[in-house]
Amino acid sequence: AESTTPESVSPQALCYFSSCSSWLPPRVPPRGSHWQSSLLECRTSLPVRAQPKKKKKVDVKKEQAQKERMKKKLRKLEKAAPELIPIEDFIPPLKYSESNRVRSLPSLSPEESERRVLLLKKWCFFKQKQDEAEKKAIKALVESQQEALQELRLESEELYQAAILRDEGLFPFERDGPTHTPPLPGYDPPEGKCIDITKVYTQ
Amino acid sequence: DALLGCHRSYRSRPTHGIGKFKYLLPKEVPKRKKEKVQMKEISAGTEYQYGDINIQMTSYDLCLVEHFAQYVHRLCNRLSIRVNESYAMPTKTNEVLFLEERGSKMQLDAVLTTHQRVVQIRGLSSTFAPILLEVIQSNQPEGVHLLMKQHTEADFKSRLKSRPELEELLAEMS
């Protein structure tokens, strides 16, 4: 806020004072007149009756200059490319990079390491079988689908065309993952609330 | 200036190429300009193919959701479905408070972080879509919430930082 020192009190403001009693000598206090409330800036004052008309040209120029400045600012801001929000998952927390602690693992006996290797091989084999079964299942699904569509085509062309069209109702598709246990009947959860404390990034 | 600017070196003379030295310096790798984050075109797809589809996986468990996203990505590669992008959405942190049994004070229970991974695919055929859905659903781990939807500009914008100054200026201008 502009401090209303005697020099900053504009000559315009001085002629606003209607009565001599309210006019205070320049050397004194910040508040120029009782029309001027201390909260308002220097130039703005409570409506005074005898207000000379403001020159329109100066205002228009000032407005234009202001608009130009704003446009320039806008152009500068728009030039800067938008940035992606940094993902906290990929930034390791500082406390793990500062300390130099090393984990000392106990040495394994040969039987133990043998057992582990054999277990790993069994696991790999199991996963391979699982993966193969999945691929086989997908292949079988696709084949049966194609066969059905072929038969439908032979039956009627328009039904086939209608079947090939994409399903608009399919997306959006939402599904919750399976839970470990089914929901408890008659469970009364404690009251509470969730507060979102995600860090907001601004450019 | 024309006299000073010309470099006349006759190719037949032995002085040809005198003054050249750039061939002696090590080759400079051209500086790569920072790639601007621009939105790629969103394809709408034809009648028999879906356009850009986002497979969004959300969970509280980071490793699980990462691994599931990797699995989905590899599955799409194997089934020759084009994968546009595979990215992570910003993490959301929630503070869970619960009301104590005897008392009016809220007690802090836990701080949960929600992680989300997105795999964007294009050109999924209408006949294959239900099969893909079936496969993904059967392999969905517990606690991972699956959402498949069309990609929109709003989804892209949600990844970018907000620019309050720009928005303020735009509001002032209009």
Side-chain angles (χ1 to χ4, degrees), chain A residues 8 15 25 30 35 68 70 73 83 101 121-122 135 163 175 192:
Chain A
S8 67
C15 54
W35 288 117
E68 283 272 302
M70 271 173 56
K73 238 183 168 181
E83 286 168 34
R101 50 182 206 168
K121 286 175 86 73
K122 278 189 209 166
K135 282 185 190 161
R175 186 188 180 239

Side-chain angles (χ1 to χ4, degrees), chain A residues 74-85:
Chain A
L74 198 77
R75 250 175 275 160
K76 220 182 173 183
L77 280 174
E78 276 185 342
K79 237 185 175 181
E83 286 168 34
L84 290 173
I85 301 177

Side-chain angles (χ1 to χ4, degrees), chain A residues 161-193:
Chain A
Q161 290 297 330
I164 294 255
L165 287 178
R166 74 184 210 186
D167 187 8
E168 300 299 334
L170 190 58
F171 301 112
F173 172 78
E174 239 187 291
R175 186 188 180 239
D176 273 325
T179 48
H180 200 65
T181 50
L184 290 170
Y187 173 63
D188 184 28
E191 280 178 33
K193 64 178 179 190

